[in-house]
Amino acid sequence: MDEAFLNMDVREMERWLREEDESRLEALWRAADDTRRENVGDEVHLRGLVEISSFCIRRCAYCGLRAEHRNLQRYRMSSDEILACAREARAYGYGTTVLQSGEDYGITREWLADVVREIKAQTALAVTLSLGERPDEDLTAWREAGADRYLLRFETSDRELYDRIHPPTDRQGLSDRIAMLKRLKQLGYEAGSGVMVGIPGQSYTCLAQDIALFRELDLDMIGVGPFIAHPDTPLGRSELPSAPQGEQTPNTELMTYKVLALTRLSCPEANIPSTTALATLNLAQGRELGLQRGANIVMPNLTPVQYRALYEIYPAKACIQESAGDCHACMKARIRKIGRVPGTGPGGRKHLNASAAH
Ligand code: 5AD
Ligand code: FES
């Protein structure tokens, strides 16, 4: 591969983020796709997503589930409902189920540990948790119960911007997601993180530094999607400042592809989803183009239909009406259409490059 794509520093990545020339971008897409194929192959792993609770104590300035969004009806699934979704994931042949929620302390350490144990006993699926910033004791208990992976996006590597879009709550002290990601690895979880593309206040340099941080943390999974304005949030109402003109990143489909491609080139072995937020910007092609520009994972939604619309992180989310069966059939068709194959097995992180393995 062209030297220009290997071991890029932050300045070179920033130059790519600003690139507009179509033929040069074609070369970037090709390099990312080649790197994807060489490192993680043609399999596209399906992770069955279950949005288990929409309660949240946090006040994230971009997220529709924020505590201050008071006229949102909240739900928390029962363990029987969650187990039914996990069995559905197994029936569809998925290797993993992802349990995601707002930061909800109604989800207690013991209750969730039981749910994880039961999923493992009944299905043998890999279990990924995405439940926000939780205390060490919770993470330890859930790992002991059999949870395999944990997702926690750091959202931005710029501390000042991070603090601006994550106002404090009285429940916990200063948030340190980077420390929690390191801790997750120590506990033996595969650790996933990621950022939104185009949040007001995010500069090109910030975004390039985010990608450099993915590499530095040696993440096992990396999710990136465009920021989508939610009218019931401060960022969605443009109440927070943008970066100076010429420095603010756009929250576009194209910028998201650039970040996906650079992420694959920086972290060749990572599992990288083509996200629902991307599909929301381009329902016809977004997932496919994501898979052709670095991604190797999709996350079909298994959340029962009556809850889906209530898990409104951002508006007009793709596939909000689809049943689990529709989503499953649709994803498989999309994978096949672009000449890829649905993955088998748990689809964990591969360690191919000795230097990256620990
Ligand atoms: N637009 C796009 N993505 C969002 N997320 C939260 N709010 C939004 C939004 N308005 C992403 C965050 C979070 C993940 C679960 O969803 O990155 O970590
Ligand atoms: Fe979700 Fe088609 S992409 S149902």
Side-chain angles (χ1 to χ4, degrees):
M1 189 190 313
D2 191 325
E3 293 279 310
F5 295 114
L6 299 171
N7 299 315
M8 277 185 240
D9 62 22
V10 170
R11 279 191 39 221
E12 289 164 312
M13 286 198 282
E14 182 174 342
R15 215 172 306 134
W16 275 113
L17 293 174
R18 291 179 182 275
E19 182 61 66
E20 296 291 337
D21 181 88
E22 279 191 24
S23 66
R24 280 202 288 269
L25 285 173
E26 277 304 325
L28 178 66
W29 312 146
R30 208 170 320 118
D33 201 40
D34 289 347
T35 303
R36 186 270 309 155
R37 188 177 317 105
E38 283 159 22
N39 286 273
V40 295
D42 280 335
E43 281 190 321
V44 175
H45 294 285
L46 294 98
R47 319 291 205 202
L49 175 67
V50 190
E51 295 154 334
I52 65 173
S53 163
S54 66
F55 286 92
C56 192
I57 60 155
R58 298 252 163 208
R59 306 161 58 209
C60 304
Y62 44 84
C63 181
L65 302 186
R66 65 201 308 270
E68 282 145 314
H69 189 190
R70 300 214 192 275
N71 48 17
L72 180 69
Q73 187 194 333
R74 310 278 174 162
Y75 71 89
R76 185 179 300 121
M77 289 171 63
S78 69
S79 42
D80 285 345
E81 287 174 314
I82 298 170
L83 278 158
C85 290
R87 286 191 297 267
E88 205 170 358
R90 187 188 50 181
Y92 289 135
Y94 303 163
T96 302
T97 185
V98 181
L99 308 185
Q100 191 181 79
S101 71
E103 208 166 295
D104 174 14
Y105 286 88
I107 296 176
T108 63
R109 183 184 309 156
E110 270 318 312
W111 181 81
L112 205 263
D114 283 343
V115 171
V116 171
R117 268 190 291 271
E118 207 44 49
I119 293 177
K120 293 303 253 189
Q122 290 189 22
T123 71
L125 291 171
V127 173
T128 302
L129 303 178
S130 178
L131 310 174
E133 292 174 65
R134 300 282 305 218
D136 216 77
E137 295 77 8
D138 294 0
L139 305 177
T140 305
W142 299 338
R143 177 78 189 125
E144 280 168 6
D148 303 275
R149 311 181 188 135
Y150 203 104
L151 301 174
L152 181 73
R153 291 191 181 175
F154 60 73
E155 316 293 0
T156 173
S157 57
D158 180 326
R159 184 76 220 190
E160 210 177 297
L161 176 58
Y162 182 90
D163 288 340
R164 208 184 314 145
I165 63 177
H166 297 98
T169 63
D170 39 6
R171 169 93 196 191
Q172 283 185 338
L174 201 64
S175 130
D176 190 345
R177 294 193 178 187
I178 309 295
M180 183 170 140
L181 288 165
K182 291 180 178 162
R183 181 67 187 138
L184 286 165
K185 293 183 104 183
Q186 283 174 353
L187 291 171
Y189 284 95
E190 283 190 25
S193 194
V195 299
M196 283 173 288
V197 174
I199 27 181
Q202 180 186 63
S203 67
Y204 283 91
T205 314
C206 280
L207 189 50
Q209 280 165 345
D210 294 346
I211 302 167
L213 184 56
F214 296 158
R215 179 167 50 194
E216 192 185 315
L217 293 171
D218 187 26
L219 294 170
D220 302 302
M221 304 166 283
I222 304 164
V224 294
F227 161 69
I228 298 171
H230 190 306
D232 295 307
T233 65
L235 266 189
R237 291 188 297 256
S238 304
E239 288 169 7
L240 297 175
S242 291
Q245 197 165 22
E247 288 176 41
Q248 172 64 48
T249 55
N251 59 338
T252 56
E253 208 187 326
L254 180 62
M255 189 56 57
T256 306
Y257 297 133
K258 292 178 190 173
V259 176
L260 269 178
L262 292 169
T263 299
R264 172 58 69 197
L265 290 165
S266 305
C267 308
E269 301 171 339
N271 282 320
I272 302 177
S274 188
T275 56
T276 303
L278 184 55
T280 298
L281 296 193
N282 179 352
L283 191 56
Q285 287 282 325
R287 276 192 211 284
E288 287 84 342
L289 287 171
L291 290 172
Q292 291 173 315
R293 295 173 176 179
N296 70 318
I297 300 284
V298 291
M299 296 172 70
N301 200 327
L302 293 176
T303 310
V305 173
Q306 71 269 30
Y307 298 133
R308 281 200 196 197
L310 301 176
Y311 200 81
E312 197 191 41
I313 298 182
Y314 50 83
K317 213 163 111 189
C319 320
I320 202 100
Q321 310 270 340
E322 268 74 9
S323 68
D326 293 343
C327 214
H328 171 70
C330 171
M331 294 279 192
K332 277 198 137 169
R334 286 172 188 269
I335 292 166
R336 294 226 166 85
K337 195 173 70 193
I338 59 169
R340 304 271 280 278
V341 285
T344 54
R349 157 86 180 267
K350 289 184 180 156
H351 286 282
L352 303 168
N353 304 313
S355 62
H358 295 286

